[in-house]
Amino acid sequence: MSNKKKNDAVVENNVAEINVPEMEAAQDEVVIAIEESVSKEVKQVVPAIDKHLLGYSLIVENGKALKLSPKTQNHVFYQIATQDDDDSLHIRLSGNEGGGLHSKEWISVNAIIEVLDAMKDRPLKSTILKSVFIGSSTNNAAFLAAVLRSDEIGLLIQSEKSVFTHKLSADYENRKTELLNIN
């Protein structure tokens, strides 16, 4: 028998030996193995729910303020929202560049205004703002002061004494009214 005829016979024998149900079952096993492998490697991307946003409706989602230190150009990030229960205005520190821990609690804007109103015509340090926080991170007050000095909020400005000392801005009353009417 010639080589061509032998090869044809081998091919015919191989084809004849393939069992279609076995081939389909083998394909199913391969598909299942691939799906299991992919599901282990690829996790569904589900957006995380920020527990701090529950009960609040955001007005400013990505506010940004330059930190107080002249040694850095890093920013503190904040959010402004109304509380769903009573529509009261709140602000929170949502993050920062560089380093420094802080509380992410919501702070009543009215509580902040109350502290600032009591300080009229007097220079103030960031520590005066500690009273509006429940959390006790040492950076809370300074980060909030930076936010209150931001161009967008503008309730505070740097005093003549020090970069870390503040005073009410010249247009404090107008800025306060704008902030309280933001919603």
Side-chain angles (χ1 to χ4, degrees), residues 63-77 95-100 142-143 146-147:
K64 179 168 121 171
L66 193 61
K67 287 185 176 180
L68 298 177
S69 175
K71 296 177 183 178
T72 184
Q73 288 296 305
N74 290 339
H75 294 87
V76 176
F77 302 99
N96 77 91
E97 293 175 322
F143 285 1
V147 168

Side-chain angles (χ1 to χ4, degrees), residues 17-70:
E17 291 177 14
I18 294 177
N19 183 334
V20 172
E22 287 178 6
M23 183 177 77
E24 288 174 347
Q27 286 177 339
D28 288 343
E29 288 177 20
V30 169
V31 168
I32 290 169
I34 291 171
E35 287 174 351
E36 288 175 354
S37 174
V38 168
S39 68
K40 287 179 185 174
E41 294 173 16
V42 180
K43 295 180 181 175
Q44 286 184 337
V45 178
V46 177
I49 295 174
D50 187 342
K51 67 179 181 180
H52 299 290
L53 296 180
L54 297 175
Y56 291 88
S57 298
L58 285 176
I59 298 169
V60 175
E61 186 173 356
N62 296 310
K64 179 168 121 171
L66 193 61
K67 287 185 176 180
L68 298 177
S69 175

Side-chain angles (χ1 to χ4, degrees), residues 61-175:
E61 186 173 356
N62 296 310
K64 179 168 121 171
L66 193 61
K67 287 185 176 180
L68 298 177
S69 175
K71 296 177 183 178
T72 184
Q73 288 296 305
N74 290 339
H75 294 87
V76 176
F77 302 99
Y78 65 92
Q79 294 175 320
I80 300 175
T82 54
Q83 191 170 26
D84 293 343
D85 294 344
D86 60 7
D87 277 343
S88 60
L89 196 62
H90 289 73
I91 192 166
R92 82 177 182 116
L93 303 169
S94 57
N96 77 91
E97 293 175 322
L101 298 174
H102 58 85
S103 301
K104 290 190 174 187
E105 69 195 72
W106 287 103
I107 304 140
S108 166
V109 169
N110 285 330
I112 295 169
I113 298 286
E114 199 174 299
V115 169
L116 296 180
D117 282 348
M119 299 303 294
K120 287 197 188 280
D121 301 325
R122 289 189 285 176
L124 56 121
K125 292 185 178 185
S126 302
T127 54
I128 193 79
L129 297 169
K130 281 185 178 183
S131 64
V132 300
F133 286 93
I134 295 170
S136 60
S137 175
T138 57
N139 295 317
N140 285 346
F143 285 1
L144 180 58
V147 168
L148 298 176
R149 279 173 52 170
S150 70
D151 291 337
E152 293 77 21
I153 295 179
L155 293 176
L156 295 177
I157 59 172
Q158 179 181 328
S159 81
E160 299 79 23
K161 291 184 177 189
S162 163
V163 69
F164 300 107
T165 308
H166 324 281
K167 66 181 185 178
L168 300 182
S169 64
D171 58 346
Y172 171 77
E173 291 299 328
N174 290 337
R175 292 294 198 134

